[in-house]
Amino acid sequence: MAGSSAGELLRLGAEHGARPGSSMRALVLASLAPYLGDDVLVGSVTANRDVPGLTHTIGLVSDHVPVRVDLRDNPTFGELAGRVHEATRQAHTHRVPIGVLRHELPGAARGDGSMFDISINYMPHAPGKAATITAPDGRTVRMLPTPLPTSALRPRMASSFSGAVRLGFQLRHSHEGHVSGDLWAHRPAFSTSTLDELTGGLGRTAREVHAHPRRGIRDLAT
């Protein structure tokens, strides 16, 4: 997704108090609106190191936080971003590891064993850092950050199923403003053709929101 479209989405979300991550999650939900009901349970991925200073101190300890989003009344994109932001804020206030939830609430899993309708991971851009590696003999190797020139989602099919969710978006926001990433789906719940359609839907929805920011998400031509 081009940087200009992403920037407009972030601006619309900010008008309703949404941070970039909530706006990007709202974009995913808007693109899937034709397939979703009025009540959606999102598995919001967290690295469990959001306390200031921990990002560069401990490694990634990812988990899912259940975020229930209300799609009733056909909200505009900005309104939806605001709803996602508030729902995410409340969910993180009462965050419980997914393993504990599965153990304490065994009936929460769906018939196929999944815990959520969809998983969404948003990774904001961070400035690249150069590094120098020095070998025992004194020789050095200089490593420089190289941006990936992409603005699209890559579809990925997998036959294994982790038990949390069968469909997941992993979005990366580059320093240049482009949004790219991976769309994961599991066989046989999704076909390759369905995955291709969902992959293209994200960019189409972004362009529709850019052109018609006051339309409800279910009225967008996605």
Side-chain angles (χ1 to χ4, degrees), residues 29 32-33 35-43 66-75 80 83-84 87 110 115-118 217-218:
L29 295 178
L32 296 176
Y35 312 100
L36 299 174
D38 289 335
D39 184 57
V40 182
L41 188 60
V42 176
V67 177
R68 190 173 295 279
V69 181
D70 182 4
L71 299 184
R72 287 176 295 179
D73 304 321
N74 193 22
L80 176 58
R83 293 184 187 184
V84 172
R110 319 298 174 79
M115 295 290 291
F116 313 107
D117 296 309
I118 182 175
I217 58 171
R218 300 192 187 279

Side-chain angles (χ1 to χ4, degrees), residues 131-155:
T132 300
I133 300 176
T134 304
D137 62 3
R139 290 182 298 177
T140 61
V141 175
R142 181 71 170 166
M143 302 180 68
L144 299 175
T146 302
L148 298 176
T150 179
S151 59
L153 286 181
R154 295 176 296 179

Side-chain angles (χ1 to χ4, degrees), residues 7-192:
E8 175 64 12
L9 295 179
L10 298 186
R11 185 190 67 78
L12 289 172
E15 289 180 355
H16 291 78
R19 299 179 66 178
S22 294
S23 295
M24 289 295 103
R25 292 180 177 93
L27 174 63
V28 171
L29 295 178
S31 73
L32 296 176
Y35 312 100
L36 299 174
D38 289 335
D39 184 57
V40 182
L41 188 60
V42 176
S44 178
V45 180
T46 175
N48 279 315
R49 56 181 185 185
D50 44 356
V51 175
L54 286 185
T55 301
H56 301 294
T57 305
I58 64 174
L60 179 68
V61 188
S62 64
D63 198 5
H64 284 85
V65 177
V67 177
R68 190 173 295 279
V69 181
D70 182 4
L71 299 184
R72 287 176 295 179
D73 304 321
N74 193 22
T76 65
F77 173 80
E79 292 168 343
L80 176 58
R83 293 184 187 184
V84 172
H85 172 79
E86 179 59 22
T88 302
R89 186 190 66 79
Q90 294 187 19
H92 279 259
T93 299
H94 307 285
R95 185 165 61 193
V96 177
I98 192 64
V100 174
L101 288 177
R102 189 181 290 278
H103 180 266
E104 297 295 332
L105 302 172
R110 319 298 174 79
D112 60 2
S114 62
M115 295 290 291
F116 313 107
D117 296 309
I118 182 175
S119 169
I120 307 175
N121 184 18
Y122 168 72
M123 292 173 286
H125 69 75
K129 293 184 177 181
T132 300
I133 300 176
T134 304
D137 62 3
R139 290 182 298 177
T140 61
V141 175
R142 181 71 170 166
M143 302 180 68
L144 299 175
T146 302
L148 298 176
T150 179
S151 59
L153 286 181
R154 295 176 296 179
R156 309 245 180 169
M157 295 293 292
S159 57
S160 61
F161 176 46
S162 65
V165 66
R166 292 188 179 275
L167 181 67
F169 286 77
Q170 183 167 276
L171 305 180
R172 303 181 188 89
H173 203 161
S174 73
H175 188 67
E176 295 77 16
H178 299 295
V179 175
S180 60
D182 301 283
L183 172 56
W184 293 90
H186 296 270
R187 297 188 181 96
F190 294 90
S191 66
T192 302

